[in-house]
Amino acid sequence: MMAETKSYDVGVIGGGGAGLTAALYTSRANLKTVLIEKLTSGGQIALTDIVENYPGFPSGVTGPEISMKMEEQAKRYGTEIIFEQVEQIAKKEKQFEIKTASNRYQSKAVILALGSSFRKLGVEGEKELTGHGVSYCATCDGAFFKDKSILVVGGGDSALQEGLFLTRFARKVQVIHRRDQLRAGPILQKRAEENPKIEFIWNTVVTKILGEKKVESVILKDVKTGAEKQAPAEGVFIFIGHDPNSGFLKGVVDLDEKGYVVTQGHLKTSVPGIFAAGEIRSGSTRQLIAACGEGCEAALSAQAYLEEKN
Ligand code: NAP
């Protein structure tokens, strides 16, 4: 049986940098705020080894540390944090109803800060061997790969940052990239190129991941020649970008062709009273500092909306 519906001024959905900052600002503005997060505070940042580009931390800060501090700060000003997965948002008279598997919440304004999830390769063996050598999180699983030979798929900042982290444990890290030029920025490129444990395999994609109970090998395809070969591997870490966590938002607010939430000025969505911030937003720069900035802007917009309404 569902518990009694609790009412709030602002419902923030998602507890990454954008959501936690939005909740901090609305709570400090004396607006009764609930933040609903499906997993852990910090979102993707909580799974990141070290954040080196957030101002104020000249030696970097670990992902879990900054996540915990942001959560503590929002709670300090009264944010109620609930760990449940949101399944639906609907307009009910003058309020929004936010429905999770076990509860319903009402709020006068909503801030969408749902972020995005790791993109899957979609090849044979990936799903079956996830947790048995296939991983999307070096910080979570790296220690299981001590002295092993592993593959990292992708050529962006995540692939290199996580690949570099994995060299602390692995004997060898091969970065498989579908082009012959990295997308990652120059600092990470230089660090990866100088690391003796990292080797690059260019113009190549993984077409199958093989293994009985755990990853044993992969099929690699040269995208220029089409030639395929089997290569041994003890782990496959996949960092090929992200997809928006906007499944239940279809038909609720306008989304772009990739499923990201479209916003106008002041981070308003197509529905008055619903705002969006961070990686869920079409055009986001996917940086923690920007997500936090957008969380602040969405909170100020929600505040202005509520003042106008009353
Ligand atoms: P990304 O920048 O979108 O890079 C994804 C990489 O995966 C690209 O190299 C792409 O190849 C490759 N890829 C995509 N789909 C693929 C497929 N189906 N098969 C094989 N390869 C595929 O994603 P990201 O690295 O996760 O970074 C996301 C954002 O976070 C970026 O804005 C990044 O700057 C930021 N970030 C920053 C830091 C940092 O500043 N230290 C760390 C992590 C992430 P192509 O290059 O050919 O497209």
Side-chain angles (χ1 to χ4, degrees):
M1 206 175 73
M2 296 231 178
E4 191 191 336
T5 307
K6 287 177 86 176
S7 291
Y8 298 85
D9 293 314
V10 182
V12 178
I13 307 178
L20 287 167
T21 309
L24 169 67
Y25 271 75
T26 55
S27 297
R28 279 174 58 82
N30 262 342
L31 296 169
K32 192 177 173 201
T33 301
V34 63
L35 182 152
I36 309 175
E37 159 61 45
K38 69 170 180 206
L39 216 57
T40 56
S41 286
Q44 286 180 28
I45 286 299
L47 306 177
T48 304
D49 167 35
I50 188 138
V51 179
E52 291 181 324
N53 52 9
Y54 195 90
F57 298 93
S59 314
V61 55
T62 72
E65 188 187 349
I66 195 164
S67 303
M68 273 169 12
K69 286 197 159 142
M70 284 185 184
E71 178 186 314
E72 192 187 320
Q73 200 172 354
K75 278 178 160 169
R76 184 175 161 211
Y77 292 100
T79 300
E80 195 177 324
I81 300 186
I82 288 168
F83 292 99
E84 287 171 21
Q85 179 146 5
V86 172
E87 292 178 344
Q88 215 178 54
I89 299 177
K91 182 104 198 201
K92 288 269 162 82
E93 291 161 23
K94 287 183 177 167
Q95 306 243 7
F96 294 98
E97 184 177 82
I98 304 166
K99 189 173 165 289
T100 68
S102 45
N103 284 301
R104 286 173 205 273
Y105 304 90
Q106 279 188 342
S107 68
K108 295 176 192 156
V110 170
I111 297 175
L112 303 171
L114 292 124
S116 58
S117 298
F118 306 113
R119 185 173 295 147
K120 310 284 187 300
L121 272 176
V123 299
E124 193 183 312
E126 181 182 18
K127 199 170 169 198
E128 298 81 348
L129 292 165
T130 293
H132 304 281
V134 173
S135 172
Y136 304 86
C137 178
T139 320
C140 319
D141 299 330
F144 299 122
F145 293 84
K146 198 162 179 347
D147 298 324
K148 301 214 187 296
S149 173
I150 55 189
L151 304 183
V152 163
V153 186
D157 283 325
S158 298
L160 296 200
Q161 181 162 16
E162 305 302 311
L164 282 159
F165 176 75
L166 288 168
T167 61
R168 294 189 200 177
F169 310 99
R171 178 175 88 246
K172 180 163 84 168
V173 174
Q174 289 177 304
V175 178
I176 313 288
H177 185 33
R178 64 183 178 183
R179 294 187 292 138
D180 61 1
Q181 266 191 327
L182 293 167
R183 183 174 291 279
I187 294 178
L188 285 170
Q189 280 200 33
K190 186 163 182 287
R191 275 189 211 159
E193 280 157 10
E194 285 172 0
N195 189 305
K197 283 191 182 176
I198 293 187
E199 185 189 312
F200 289 94
I201 301 185
W202 304 109
N203 300 312
T204 299
V205 291
V206 173
T207 57
K208 268 185 206 169
I209 305 174
L210 306 167
E212 278 293 314
K213 291 194 173 128
K214 56 184 172 63
V215 170
E216 290 162 15
S217 64
V218 292
I219 304 292
L220 297 179
K221 182 178 172 186
D222 183 317
V223 294
K224 293 232 154 135
T225 64
E228 290 198 321
K229 65 171 186 192
Q230 189 164 351
E234 292 167 286
V236 181
F237 282 77
I238 300 165
F239 303 107
I240 57 166
H242 304 89
D243 291 314
N245 294 326
S246 60
F248 72 89
L249 293 175
K250 269 188 206 127
V252 178
V253 290
D254 285 354
L255 305 177
D256 70 11
E257 68 287 354
K258 289 184 178 158
Y260 290 92
V261 177
V262 176
T263 52
Q264 313 139 30
H266 305 296
L267 304 184
K268 293 175 185 168
T269 68
S270 54
V271 175
I274 305 186
F275 305 85
E279 278 207 23
I280 191 69
R281 203 179 63 75
S282 182
S284 130
T285 54
R286 301 181 176 282
Q287 303 295 313
L288 176 60
I289 182 72
C292 294
E294 291 182 15
C296 160
E297 187 177 353
L300 296 178
S301 295
Q303 196 183 330
Y305 166 81
L306 292 174
E307 277 164 12
E308 220 170 86
K309 235 178 109 202
N310 286 330

